[in-house]
Amino acid sequence: EVQVDVLTIDTEGFDPDVLWGAASTLRAVRFLVFEVQQQLAGSAWASTSLQSVVAYLDALGLDCYWAGNDSTLQRITGCWSAAEEAKLHPIVWSNVACVRRGDV
């Protein structure tokens, strides 16, 4: 069975498209990092909610966290809602780190 230890996605606003197209690979990923940039007009993030991406990754067995500039992690899987996202929308450049559930 193939295992991917680390996958980093940085496609300047098109990370959701890459994630949607990578389901089979994501099932083998242990650690994933991607950027959220909802402020980029014309990008996939401009029309994609973080909530939908986190729910998708949750279904693939990944738990996601805000990766703060201050070296902190805040869980968003199971904690993020449409109301929370509306407060911060558009999310301007943030990193999200996800780990395989049960791997740590």
Side-chain angles (χ1 to χ4, degrees):
E1 181 176 307
V2 174
Q3 180 174 300
V4 178
D5 288 326
V6 177
L7 178 61
T8 300
I9 300 171
D10 182 357
T11 56
E12 300 308 317
F14 292 92
D15 299 42
D17 290 343
V18 173
L19 292 166
W20 301 143
S24 62
T25 300
L26 290 171
R27 286 183 179 89
V29 170
R30 296 180 63 212
F31 180 78
L32 167 70
V33 176
F34 62 91
E35 288 185 342
V36 181
Q37 295 186 347
Q38 292 176 331
Q39 83 284 4
L40 296 176
S43 74
W45 273 123
S47 60
T48 304
S49 71
L50 177 58
Q51 182 184 22
S52 67
V53 171
V54 170
Y56 167 71
L57 295 170
D58 183 27
L60 292 174
L62 293 163
D63 289 329
C64 297
Y65 301 81
W66 287 117
N69 291 336
D70 58 357
S71 301
T72 61
L73 295 174
Q74 290 184 300
R75 184 180 175 95
I76 54 180
T77 298
C79 304
W80 193 249
S81 67
E84 289 295 320
E85 187 152 348
K87 290 179 197 174
L88 296 175
H89 194 270
I91 298 168
V92 178
W93 190 81
S94 252
N95 285 318
V96 174
C98 306
V99 293
R100 171 76 35 212
R101 192 169 299 120
D103 216 22
V104 282

